[in-house]
Each structure stands twice: as structure tokens, then as C-alpha cells.
Amino acid sequence: MKPSIPKGTRDFGPIQVNRRNYIFNTLRRVFVKYGYQPIETPVMENLSTLTGKYGEEGDQLLFKVLNSGDFLRKVKDEDYQAGNYKKMTFQISDKGLRYDLTIPFARYVVMNQNDITFPFKRYQIQPVWRGDRPQKGRYREFYQCDVDVVGSESLINEVELTQIYDEGFAALGVNVLIKINNRKILTGIAEAAGIPDQMMSMTVAIDKLDKIGMDGVKDEMRRKEIGEEAINTIEKILTINDLEELKSFFENSETGRKGIEELQTVFNYLEKIDLTNEIVFDITLARGLTYYTGTIYEVAAKDVKIGSIGGGGRYDDLTGMFGLKGVSGVGVSFGAARIYDVMEELDIFPDSTAEGTQLIFVTFDEKALDYAFDALQAVRKAGINAEIYPESVKMKKQMKYANSRKIPYVAVVGDNEMQAGEVALKNMKTGEQANVKVADLASKIKQ
RNA sequence: GUGGUUGUAGCUCAGUUGGUUAGAGCGCUGGUUUGUGGUACCAGAAGUCGCCGGUUCAAAUCCGGUCUUCCACCCCA
């Protein structure tokens, strides 16, 4: 049998895990700096927790977990005969893999509401699963790093999350464009165009602007049966990138005006802050997820062509679907897998993302192996990551191992060294070699 | 989910109109070098040509199916 792994999944070797951890650790430091605390939730959620939260499309992409035992027991014959797979899904499966971290978080908040002190700021770094068709930068299993705060309507949260984006990507060395919009402005546009009921289809069309152009967007809206007059109004509004100017269109849209006000507050705060990356108001930013109600974010890498590497927004009533009303939240997500791809393409991972072995002992014979073993214990005790080549095979082979592992120092042990209570310490980068007392080994390497 | 694309040694790939023992570079193993890696030279091992089936005297090559890869759409991180 030839081994294989499921479509859209990947193995991660030592280099990749080290690099991924580097990304996680870098982001984690930023999250903690802003007062966010970690939580984790199970890989599986009840299917009822997940379905209906991501739109019909999302439900299709959920991985369902087959019930244990006689899973066909509950299947109704009439549903089987009719080929009604959607109904049968719930008869053979009551669990699913998490699709994102936001819905499980909302569920967590509701379940633990009595123990949580609001506002609750949490971060969460865990894999999620989507039954999407894989392509580049698109996997069926990938990590997300989410930062959310619930139980506060203050726009300060929006400002801080923008800072976290800015600081996080700056710390990783990725140049990004952070785009901000507000769902209320999109609602305002729909109201100004006289099509408040078609706000969602309008939004989906607008979201594609930079991909298919204005004519494409107009075609798409026509296909969604949005009137010609409304389309003209929308087109006019979309050319505006100044919030003050936008106000004149929203005379009849209270929601729209509120959206402008909110964004202005956010930008006023942002002006007081030192920021590394470019942050722009983008009226065409829409985002698909249905639960956003206020500020929305999207982050694009500037130097690599790839889908968005982060996104998020405010949701006024995410916990409402689990029975806890009136808890507003806002959060953003870092797409770890894509960030990884971007950093790899730009070749900007630091040389040693690995906290690897610093010193290896190589030996000529069994006696030297014993001697080196004792020395090994001493340097480890002194805090050096060290290992020993466990067999005193040919020197060439041992050196080759040290070289391929990129271990910076090699301690060579033979008769001469043993007699003097030393090792021959070789710097693998420069090729220099000098004899060092075993007692001085750790301090020598720390320099 | 729709349309297309890809698969040959551990890796990256070549392989003519179907025709004998399927090649290269890198890597790997051994040697030049019985106290030394990264350079050089020499030698060697390694492939069910993704998988299943069909056409043919003959298939890596043609046809069908399937899995996988990547791309566009859809959607999204």
C-alpha cells in the first residue's frame, strides 16, 4: 500500500513547524501585550452549533463526523428512498469539525457567561477544517489565529485590533494594506439606492470590484435583479473615498450616517498612533460572512499576490443565536497558512526560527563516547541544547550529520582530548577549531 | 459544486511518429582521506512510469475511469 494523506492536508516537517511556531509566538506576544488571554475549544462541535452560521455554502463545506456504532439506525427509509441527503446528514451525523474559531468562541462565551468577566478578550490559535476544493493558499486544514473581544461596544476595541494587525504584521516583517469599512455604510448605500432588501447581493457584487472591475460588478448586480437606477447610484457612491463627501448621499439613511460616524471615530484615534502599515478606508470592502454588523477589516499582503491574509469585523449579536442577547463583539483573524506562504515566498523567515541543538559531541571510540556522555550532561545542565552522536562511527559520517542538522558547534573527543580533560571545539561556520576544557564549554558557546 | 491542468528515482525534471536493458542533475551510499562536515574527483544503489481497466504483436507514450496536484469560477484564510 502506498501511503497518502487526504486531499488538501499537509505534513509539517521540523523546519515548517519551527517556522509556524515562530509566527504563532510572534503574534502571541502581540496579543498578550494588548491584554488578550488564550482559550481552546474542541476540534468537534455539535453539528447544530455549526450549521446555519456560515450560509448555505458554508454548510456544504462543513466536515461532518459520522456517528459511532450503528449510524444508519436513525435513517428514515423515506428519506433514503427520496435521496434526501441533507435530511439524512443529521440522521447519521451529529458532530462536525470546526469551520472557524469565531462560532465556537461565541458558543464558549454563552456557556461560560457566568464565569466570564466582560469585556472578555481572548485569542485562540487552532486549526480549522473546510471541505473546500484546494488550490494554492487554500487548504482543507489550516490554522487560524483569532483575536476577539466581546461585551464591549466601544470603538476603542476596533482601534486596538487595527493596532494588533499593524504590530503583528510589522513584527513578522510582512508589508500589508489594512482595509477598513463598515457594514452600516454598505447598508447606507443600499438604502440610498432604494434597495435595502438586496443589500446582501449588492455587497457580494461589490466585493469583487478589484477582481472583475466596475462593469463586472454592474453585470453581477443586474443578474441579481437590481434595478438600473439603483446600479447607477451605487456606481456613483463607490467612486467616493472620502467620508465627509459620502455624508451627502446618506441624508435618508440613518444607518449609513452612523457607519460614517463610527469610521471617523476609529480613524481619529488611529491618527494619534504610530503605525507601520498603510491603513485605508475602502468603501468596496464587503466580506461575505453574514454575521458582521459594523466595522469590517481585511488585510492584503503588498508584495505577494495571494488572497487576503486576515479579516474580521464587529458582530452585534453573535451570541444571540445561542441565547445570550445584547453582547456585542469584534474580532480579527490572522490566516497563518497564508502568512506562512507569503513569508516563504519573500524569504523573510529569520535564519534560526529553530531553537535547535547548539552543540554536538562526536567521538572516535567507545571510551570517548563515555567521556563525551559525561560532558554532555554538564553542558545541558548549564542550559545548552546539546546532543551526542550515539555511535562512534566514522568521523566523516558524524561530521556530516552535524552539518546537515546545521548544528553550529561540534565537540570532537578522542584520546588527546580525554587526557587533557578537554574537547576539540569546532565552529562549523568558520571552520575554526580550538581545544577547550570541559568545564569552560558551556560559557564558551554562550558567547 | 462547475470548467481545465498535472502525475516518470528521495527531490526537480527529460523521454522523438507507440518499438529492445526508462535517462539527467541534485540528494543518498562507498572510496580518494584509519582524527574532521561544507569544495573536487571516482564508483555504486535506487523507478509496478499515480492507480484500475481497455486498444495493440508491442503502451511511460493512445483511449476510458479513478485518485492526486495546480489554475479559473464559487467562496474564503
Side-chain angles (χ1 to χ4, degrees), chain A residues 359 361 369-381 386 388 411 413 422-423 438 441:
Chain A
L359 172 69
F361 290 87
L369 195 61
D370 280 352
Y371 174 94
F373 183 80
D374 293 338
L376 171 69
Q377 306 313 314
V379 290
R380 279 192 185 143
K381 213 165 253 172
I388 187 167
V413 181
E422 297 174 334
V423 302
V438 170
L441 204 45

Side-chain angles (χ1 to χ4, degrees), chain A residues 173-191:
Chain A
V174 179
N175 286 321
V176 293
L177 177 66
I178 302 170
K179 296 182 274 191
I180 304 184
N181 195 6
N182 194 303
R183 265 287 161 84
K184 295 189 175 95
I185 288 180
L186 293 164
T187 304
I189 295 174
E191 287 179 8

Side-chain angles (χ1 to χ4, degrees), chain A residues 291-344:
Chain A
Y291 48 68
Y292 292 127
T293 52
T295 312
I296 45 182
Y297 301 92
E298 196 161 287
V299 181
K302 272 188 167 170
D303 308 318
V304 176
K305 194 174 171 289
I306 195 166
S308 67
I309 57 175
R314 177 170 287 276
Y315 35 86
D316 275 336
D317 197 29
L318 196 59
T319 57
M321 56 181 85
F322 299 117
L324 179 62
K325 298 246 188 290
V327 178
S328 183
V330 56
V332 297
S333 177
F334 289 77
R338 283 190 182 170
I339 293 171
Y340 185 102
D341 289 348
V342 167
M343 290 182 67
E344 189 161 63

Side-chain angles (χ1 to χ4, degrees), chain A residues 396-415:
Chain A
K396 180 166 180 160
K397 183 158 186 174
Q398 301 187 57
M399 292 301 285
K400 227 169 171 174
Y401 172 82
N403 192 56
S404 71
R405 287 280 312 278
K406 295 194 169 64
I407 298 171
Y409 289 98
V410 174
V412 184
V413 181
D415 285 339

